[in-house]
Amino acid sequence: MSNSVSAAVLLLVAGLSTAAQAQMDAIVVSLNRCDDPSQLADIRIRNCMAVINASGVDQDEIAFAWLDLAIVYQSQGGDRQRELDAYSRALALQPNLWQARANRASLYLEAGDGDHALADFLALRQSGPDKLQLWRGKSDTEYRTGHIEGSTTDRSNMDRPGREEADYANALNELGRALRTGLGDGCKRRALAGLELDAAVKDCEGALEIDPSDETAHLGRGIVAFRQANWQLALTELNAVQQKHPNSAEALLMKGIVERRMGNNSARDADIAAAKAIDSHVPQGYGEFGILP
């Protein structure tokens, strides 16, 4: 190869490298503008879509762009389906992107879709803090740790070790509490009404999958078993409540009522008297649902 040809090839390669670097720089800027809450929503959306539609971009970066796009939609309000779809696209690319999972679960919960919210919660819990490294900076990707145009936030944990783990734990705890309360209350409400008992059991099981010691869920399952005349199961569930919460007037009252059905009158009298001593209004409240000593 002649010197002139070699020089031409080198120039061509250099030109390609420069073009590739320029493209990467443009994507980096778009990524940061997409993630920048100080930018107008329209600007953020345009830059998120630029990353999503770019060729040769790592799927993790595209997943971040979908996540950031969903957060922009959330800030605008009014179109939860669009927000939900964006979180789902992020998770399709990167299932361990925990913030997308937590935010989507919250959306499901707000919409009353307990099944999907619970599924996301369980997947979020299973992923665990050991899989949160996706948020940390990669050695070959400067935008997460550098000071590039458009960057106002830093996804890396390098500045504050443990931040990501703490954020993950807080999101998991908040979502778990909301789900457990909603499912436990739904189970108990249906059980007291004596309606949709299969759905009541499902709600209780969901709450207990989150927290095996949940008082409301065990009480709800005890009432469901009472409605089904399964006295032994009802007693087992109510004992589970009383073991952790000995002053639960509702559990004591229901235990007394179940014991009556089982022919144990002395235990019935003792438990009902104890329930009334703790809260004299409980028998009347249960009586309104046709549950009488």
Side-chain angles (χ1 to χ4, degrees):
M1 183 181 295
S2 69
N3 290 338
S4 60
V5 173
S6 298
V9 170
L10 290 174
L11 286 172
L12 177 61
V13 171
L16 290 174
S17 298
T18 301
Q21 186 60 51
Q23 181 186 23
M24 186 58 195
D25 289 345
I27 291 171
V28 166
V29 171
S30 290
L31 278 165
N32 283 288
R33 287 177 176 170
C34 171
D35 181 45
D36 185 354
S38 71
Q39 299 281 354
L40 295 175
D42 288 347
I43 294 174
R44 293 185 69 187
I45 291 171
R46 185 165 63 250
N47 281 276
C48 290
M49 294 308 301
V51 176
I52 290 166
N53 293 324
S55 59
V57 179
D58 185 274
Q59 73 171 21
D60 286 353
E61 314 304 345
I62 298 176
F64 279 123
W66 279 115
L67 168 61
D68 292 334
L69 184 61
I71 292 171
V72 178
Y73 290 153
Q74 180 184 15
S75 69
Q76 290 180 311
D79 192 345
R80 293 303 177 88
Q81 188 58 51
R82 188 170 59 170
E83 183 185 345
L84 187 67
D85 290 344
Y87 286 132
S88 296
R89 286 178 176 270
L91 290 167
L93 292 169
Q94 181 42 263
N96 287 324
L97 191 52
W98 74 267
Q99 190 177 4
R101 182 79 65 185
N103 290 0
R104 189 175 74 170
S106 295
L107 278 177
Y108 282 137
L109 194 58
E110 289 174 13
D113 188 347
D115 289 345
H116 281 101
L118 179 61
D120 267 346
F121 170 81
L122 295 175
L124 184 66
R125 185 170 66 181
Q126 184 178 8
S127 69
D130 57 316
K131 295 182 180 177
L132 299 179
Q133 67 271 17
L134 180 63
W135 281 89
R136 297 176 175 85
K138 294 181 178 178
S139 59
D140 59 348
T141 306
E142 295 181 353
Y143 87 94
R144 290 183 184 156
T145 56
H147 299 284
I148 312 250
E149 180 189 353
S151 178
T152 59
T153 60
D154 181 4
R155 287 191 172 101
S156 172
N157 281 340
M158 295 175 68
D159 58 338
R160 283 186 287 155
R163 178 185 64 184
E164 193 72 13
E165 287 81 355
D167 289 347
Y168 166 84
N170 288 336
L172 192 66
N173 288 338
E174 289 178 12
L175 185 59
R177 280 196 300 270
L179 265 170
R180 190 181 71 233
T181 299
L183 292 169
D185 287 348
C187 170
K188 180 183 172 185
R189 186 170 57 251
R190 287 188 170 103
L192 284 171
L195 301 171
E196 300 176 311
L197 294 183
D198 289 343
V201 170
K202 187 176 180 181
D203 282 348
C204 279
E205 289 175 348
L208 291 171
E209 196 163 4
I210 297 169
D211 180 2
S213 66
D214 186 77
E215 175 186 1
T216 303
H218 279 297
L219 179 60
R221 284 213 305 196
I223 299 171
V224 169
F226 167 80
R227 292 291 193 191
Q228 296 171 333
N230 189 340
W231 312 129
Q232 189 56 57
L233 177 59
L235 194 59
T236 298
E237 293 293 344
L238 296 166
N239 280 332
V241 178
Q242 196 182 12
Q243 284 173 5
K244 289 191 70 71
H245 305 278
N247 292 322
S248 172
E250 293 182 74
L252 283 166
L253 176 71
M254 283 303 305
K255 273 189 64 182
I257 293 172
V258 169
E259 285 157 346
R260 177 189 173 192
R261 296 336 190 251
M262 298 176 75
N264 192 345
N265 290 331
S266 60
R268 173 204 66 185
D269 294 342
D271 282 339
I272 291 176
K276 289 179 178 178
I278 295 168
D279 187 344
S280 61
H281 301 290
V282 167
Q284 179 183 350
Y286 273 69
E288 293 174 359
F289 293 99
I291 301 177
L292 302 168

